[in-house]
Amino acid sequence: MTAGYPRNLAGRRLPLNEIAVRAGVSISTVSRVLNNKAHTISDEVQQRVLSAVSEINPNNAVLKKKLEHVGLFSNRLIDTSIEPFHFGIMAGIQAECQRQSIHFSFTLLKPELETATFIQNKVKQNYIDGLIFMAVDNRVFLENVLQLGLPSVLINSRHLDLPVDTFLPDNMTGTTLAIQYLLAKGHRRILHLTDLRRGTIRTRHLGYRATLEDAGVEYDPSLVVIAADVGATEAYEAMKKFLASTHPDFTAIFCANDMTAIGVMKALREAGLNVPNDVSIVGFDDIAIAEFTDPALTTIRVEREAIGAKALQGLINRAGNTEQLPYTLEVACKLVERDSVVSLPHQEFLE
C-alpha cells in the first residue's frame, strides 16, 4: 500500500515515503513539516525535508494533502455481536473511505500498546497518513499521539481541551428524551442501570439525573445499579443481584445502552417479572437486535453510520486545513417507540 500523497498543481502525486527516504526521516516528520507542525523539529531536518520536496517537485508547486490510508484504532473489540454500537460506526467509516477511494485498516489497541511509539511504527509499516481513535479514554496516550503531527480525529470519547476534532452522539439530549418519555407515561421511580467508567456513559447518567430533577422528581442514588460493563452479561449479573437483594420500589428502567437492556430483560424474566406490564424499559443506541427483542425495545436511536462518515469527512477536512480550530460534533438522537413501555394509570410501585 502506498503512503499518503500530497499533489502538485499539475496533479502529479508526491509520495510521503519517497520524501522521507530522500530526507532520511520518518513519514510522520515529513507530514509535520508539510502541515506546519514542525515547531519541535530542528531547522536542519526541516530543510532536508523541503529540499527533498524540491527534488521531487522542481517547479515548487503548491502541495495539497490527500489522504490515502486511514487507520482506525480502538481498545474495543469491534464485532457485530459483541460491540454492535462501535461496529456500526466502523461500517460508516469504511463506507465513506470506499466512496473517497481511501484505504482503511483497523487495529485493536491493547493497554500495553497505547503508546505513541506503537502508533508511529504502525504509521511507518502501513503508510498511514490519517488517524481515527474510537472510544479511547487514555488522555495521556492521545496527547502523545497528537504530537506526531498526523491528521487525527476522535470518535465516541470526550477529553476537554484536547486539541482534536471529536465526533459522538448527543448523549445528554438523547437521555433527556428517554427520561421525559418515561415521565410522560407516569413513571416516577425510574431505575438506571449503567457503568460509570467511560465519560460518554457518565454523560447519560448526568442526563438521567438532570432530567428527573428538572421535572421535580428527586434523584435517588439507590435506584442506580452499577454493572461491571455495558454488555448484556454484565447487566444481567448486576440486575440479578439487585433483584435478589432488598431493593427500593421502581416501575421503569433506563438502561445505559441496548445491550444492558437485553441483559436486564433476561434477569427480570427469571425473577418472574413481565416487561412491560411489571417493569417498563428504555434502552439507548437502537442496535439492530433492539427491534427483535421480546417485547421489542423502546430506545434512543443513534445514527452510528452517520457518525463514522462524518468523522472520516472531518479527518479529510483536517488534513487539508491544519490551522482550523478543533471542534466537537454531537450527532442528534431520537426516540424510537416500540413495546417495552406502558403507561401507568396511576402512581404504582413494584414491591
Side-chain angles (χ1 to χ4, degrees), residues 27-47:
I27 294 174
S28 62
T29 296
V30 174
S31 177
R32 291 169 66 190
V33 171
L34 296 181
N35 287 300
N36 299 316
K37 291 187 175 182
H39 54 278
T40 60
I41 298 174
S42 70
D43 292 340
E44 186 268 334
V45 169
Q46 291 187 54
Q47 187 56 51

Side-chain angles (χ1 to χ4, degrees), residues 27 45 85 97 110 174 217 253 282 290 292 319 337 350:
I27 294 174
V45 169
F85 177 79
C97 279
K110 298 179 180 179
V217 178
I253 304 174
V282 175
F292 300 100
E337 186 174 4
L350 177 67

Side-chain angles (χ1 to χ4, degrees), residues 106-160:
F106 169 71
T107 301
L108 177 64
L109 280 176
K110 298 179 180 179
E112 65 272 18
L113 299 180
E114 290 188 349
T115 67
T117 300
F118 173 76
I119 299 298
Q120 190 168 34
N121 289 337
K122 274 287 183 181
V123 166
K124 290 179 181 178
Q125 293 165 10
N126 299 291
Y127 303 116
I128 295 171
D129 54 4
L131 305 173
I132 299 177
F133 296 94
M134 183 158 65
V136 175
D137 297 322
N138 186 337
R139 184 184 177 99
V140 173
F141 163 67
L142 291 172
E143 288 174 344
N144 291 335
V145 167
L146 292 177
Q147 291 300 312
L148 298 177
L150 285 173
S152 304
V153 298
L154 183 63
I155 298 178
N156 200 39
S157 188
R158 173 170 266 172
H159 299 271
L160 293 178

Side-chain angles (χ1 to χ4, degrees), residues 136-303:
V136 175
D137 297 322
N138 186 337
R139 184 184 177 99
V140 173
F141 163 67
L142 291 172
E143 288 174 344
N144 291 335
V145 167
L146 292 177
Q147 291 300 312
L148 298 177
L150 285 173
S152 304
V153 298
L154 183 63
I155 298 178
N156 200 39
S157 188
R158 173 170 266 172
H159 299 271
L160 293 178
D161 300 323
L162 190 68
V164 61
D165 302 329
T166 302
F167 301 82
L168 70 168
D170 188 349
N171 291 299
M172 182 66 75
T173 301
T175 300
T176 299
L177 292 173
I179 302 305
Q180 286 180 342
Y181 175 75
L182 287 171
L183 291 170
K185 293 290 186 179
H187 296 277
R188 295 296 180 271
R189 300 288 291 173
I190 303 171
L191 185 144
H192 180 36
L193 194 140
T194 188
D195 166 25
L196 298 178
R197 291 176 302 169
R198 297 206 65 238
T200 51
I201 301 299
R202 286 198 302 272
T203 299
R204 296 178 186 181
H205 173 257
L206 292 173
Y208 158 80
R209 178 171 183 169
T211 307
L212 287 176
E213 292 177 344
D214 287 346
V217 178
E218 184 178 358
Y219 169 75
D220 184 353
S222 70
L223 286 175
V224 178
V225 178
I226 307 298
D229 200 352
V230 288
T233 300
E234 293 81 3
Y236 165 75
E237 295 292 345
M239 194 66 198
K240 185 176 179 181
K241 181 178 179 181
F242 177 81
L243 291 172
S245 66
T246 301
H247 57 76
D249 304 329
F250 63 98
T251 64
I253 304 174
F254 169 59
C255 296
N257 63 13
D258 292 344
M259 294 300 288
T260 62
I262 291 169
V264 164
M265 283 181 170
K266 177 177 170 62
L268 290 171
R269 280 195 302 269
E270 291 182 359
L273 298 170
N274 177 270
V275 178
N277 294 328
D278 295 320
V279 182
S280 292
I281 296 181
V282 175
F284 204 114
D285 292 343
D286 194 27
I287 60 176
I289 198 173
E291 185 179 358
F292 300 100
T293 58
D294 185 20
L297 182 64
T298 293
T299 187
I300 300 299
R301 176 172 296 165
V302 174
E303 300 294 347

